[in-house]
Amino acid sequence: MARTITDPTEAAQELASRVNKAGSVVFFGGAGVSTASGIPDFRSEDGLYHQHFDYPPETMLSHSFYVSHTKEFYKFYRERMICLTAKPNRAHYKLAELEDEGKLMAVVTQNIDGLHQMAGSRRVLELHGSVHRNICQRCGAVQSAEWVLSTTGVPRCPECGGPIKPDVVLYEESLDQDVLLASARAIASCDLLIIGGTSLVVYPAAGLVRYFQGNDLVICNLQPTPQDGAADLVCACDIAKAFDW
């Protein structure tokens, strides 16, 4: 049975010890990594799924809704999915430090906010894309999140007038196979896999855990996950505090 720690100070000490002993580390994270930076997740009590909109969030974030209700899609996207005021927290910065030290091989993230890169991480595999890339479907020009926020209604490409689509994976869309494969390879090759801030219920991303062949699996999440029983250590505490060492 996995050892469970609820005290964040103790969790930080244990995480530091395990990272120091490991030859290579991969971090696999989800929305809980960003909630400490003020970005709401989907499933928690204060998450998007518990707020009231004209349509359910999972509907507004679907490919078919983007196609059929593009103006409403962009209203939700601007108001709820882009949060440029958010700043990296201690977990983001510690992961960047570990990469600089040669310990961390990759960050595999389900988040689309770019906070890992803002903190200094370079080897980031974005399973669900990024709000910081918005691509013209006609000429391929890429526009920033700031540019999208400066527009109104349905944004059109300033280069050719073509439709702009966020480079995020919507419901009904497939994950980028190259990113998925690179993530599986990274997880398969590390000694220590730290899973943080994810409920591990969203597939196919959650299925990546099965590729881990190392000897130390750590899960850091406030709520229980389906993989807790397979973990060597469970840190049931705030992830930013658990990475504060």
Side-chain angles (χ1 to χ4, degrees), residues 5 8 17 42 57 103 120 156 160 170 177 211 221:
I5 297 175
S17 174
F42 281 76
K103 277 286 186 179
R156 309 294 296 189
C160 71
L170 303 175
Q177 291 303 299
Y211 291 101
N221 198 58

Side-chain angles (χ1 to χ4, degrees), residues 11 38-39 83 86-87 101 107 120 128 133 139 183-184 208 213 215 217 222 230 234:
I39 296 178
C83 185
K87 303 299 180 186
E101 294 167 6
V107 169
H128 295 156
R133 298 185 300 271
C139 73
S183 300
L208 287 168
Q213 302 174 40
N215 52 27
L217 175 62
L222 282 171
V234 174

